[in-house]
Amino acid sequence: MEKNYKKEGKYSYYEAGEGTPIVILHGLMGGLSNFDAVASYFSEKGYKIVIPDLPIYTQNILKTNVKNFAKYVKDFITFKGFERVILLGNSLGGHIALYHTKMYPEKVAGLVITGSSGLYESAMGDSYPKRGDYEYIKKKAEDVFYDPKVATPELIDEVYASVNDRIKLIKTLTIAKSAIRHNMAKDLPKMHVQTCIIWGKNDKVTPPDVAEEFNKLLPNSTLYWIDKCGHAAMMEQPEEFNRLLEEWLTHTHLKAH
């Protein structure tokens, strides 16, 4: 990913491919590399894949909330000169994508959410009480996946470092509160954008009934399940994730021309 990583003005982002822009929003603990498989596949298929670094830990604490992150995404899309984009978000990134779509529907041609927060209160709320307890953090990281081995030692170390960084911890808790405050249940029925919901059947963080609820509330949504898969489908089952996403893009005519 290194060679496609750019820094311009206040933005750092990954970019590859040419064509219809797909802007990908990572989650709270997720880095850009979570989307390696999606980026390498779709950048060869007539899409421009753009993954901005979200200022999750760098914003002023007063701006550390879902609404401000959504505005950041809108400013980034404008900065890139895109008319309309397909937004894809995982976990907190899905919530930011949803909130962005609510605020700026004219910017969004299609929406893809996977393991998204926005409806389910405890998605992040109870995850950070025990600082310093490595085994607890390891278990929490493993719980994100159906197959605990996907939580590599590097990944666990990264999460552990975040949780033991006081500023990051405070911001994480601030975001968790903001996610609860910005619940989307009332907004979703008014959001008519074509939406693809891809969900792991074994997601423990945002359980399957959350996906059902999103599908029920969003007027133009299609729900796809991935078996033996947890909270980060694009990491754990990348081939299946890409296949379903491509099927949906083709079906909704958002496919690259």
Side-chain angles (χ1 to χ4, degrees):
M1 291 198 112
E2 294 304 305
K3 68 176 186 346
N4 294 323
Y5 195 70
K6 304 182 175 183
K7 241 180 136 35
E8 292 175 351
K10 64 172 181 171
Y11 302 108
S12 311
Y13 60 98
Y14 165 93
E15 183 176 276
E18 283 307 324
T20 310
I22 299 181
V23 175
I24 298 180
L25 307 178
H26 61 80
L28 192 59
M29 288 293 175
L32 309 193
S33 63
N34 295 12
F35 292 94
D36 273 352
V38 176
S40 55
Y41 185 80
F42 286 98
S43 61
E44 300 283 312
K45 295 268 179 184
Y47 295 91
K48 184 190 274 291
I49 303 295
V50 188
I51 316 178
D53 258 325
L54 297 173
I56 287 178
Y57 297 124
T58 53
Q59 283 275 49
N60 172 315
I61 193 87
L62 297 173
K63 288 190 171 171
T64 300
N65 59 58
V66 172
K67 187 176 178 178
N68 267 295
F69 294 146
K71 188 175 178 325
Y72 182 91
V73 171
K74 186 243 181 195
D75 292 345
F76 175 71
I77 290 170
T78 304
F79 166 80
K80 287 297 294 171
F82 299 144
E83 291 261 310
R84 295 170 85 218
V85 303
I86 296 162
L87 272 184
L88 189 172
N90 171 239
S91 202
L92 175 69
H95 196 167
I96 296 167
L98 285 157
Y99 207 85
H100 175 283
T101 304
K102 170 197 159 170
M103 288 166 72
Y104 315 104
E106 70 288 349
K107 291 268 177 215
V108 184
L111 183 61
V112 184
I113 55 173
T114 177
S116 180
S117 55
L119 281 179
Y120 180 60
E121 309 286 297
S122 75
M124 296 181 286
D126 65 347
S127 302
Y128 300 95
K130 295 194 178 68
R131 288 173 69 188
D133 179 344
Y134 190 84
E135 281 310 304
Y136 175 84
I137 300 298
K138 179 170 186 276
K139 170 89 179 75
K140 276 289 177 193
E142 289 174 348
D143 273 354
V144 169
F145 305 102
Y146 171 76
D147 175 4
K149 289 197 289 296
V150 180
T152 58
E154 295 79 37
L155 187 113
I156 295 163
D157 288 347
E158 214 174 290
V159 174
Y160 183 74
S162 292
V163 175
N164 281 290
D165 174 327
R166 204 175 134 265
I167 302 295
K168 282 190 174 179
L169 184 74
I170 290 166
K171 290 198 168 174
T172 299
L173 296 171
T174 305
I175 291 165
K177 285 195 184 80
S178 151
I180 292 166
R181 209 168 54 242
H182 292 103
N183 187 290
M184 303 290 298
K186 288 192 177 66
D187 304 307
L188 298 175
K190 301 180 210 120
M191 290 166 54
H192 289 272
V193 63
Q194 289 283 0
T195 306
C196 173
I197 304 168
I198 301 179
W199 224 265
K201 274 192 177 165
N202 313 90
D203 189 335
K204 291 183 193 152
V205 183
T206 44
D209 55 352
V210 180
E212 303 271 12
E213 189 71 7
F214 272 120
N215 195 34
K216 196 174 89 195
L217 292 171
L218 283 157
N220 287 316
S221 59
T222 312
L223 172 56
Y224 301 93
W225 295 106
I226 300 183
D227 208 6
K228 297 191 169 55
C229 183
H231 185 58
M234 68 291 157
M235 283 175 79
E236 194 163 15
Q237 299 279 7
E239 286 83 14
E240 183 62 1
F241 184 90
N242 288 346
R243 188 184 73 73
L244 293 170
L245 178 51
E246 189 166 34
E247 185 182 302
W248 177 79
L249 288 166
T250 305
H251 179 69
T252 50
H253 304 295
L254 290 166
K255 65 176 184 289
H257 297 297

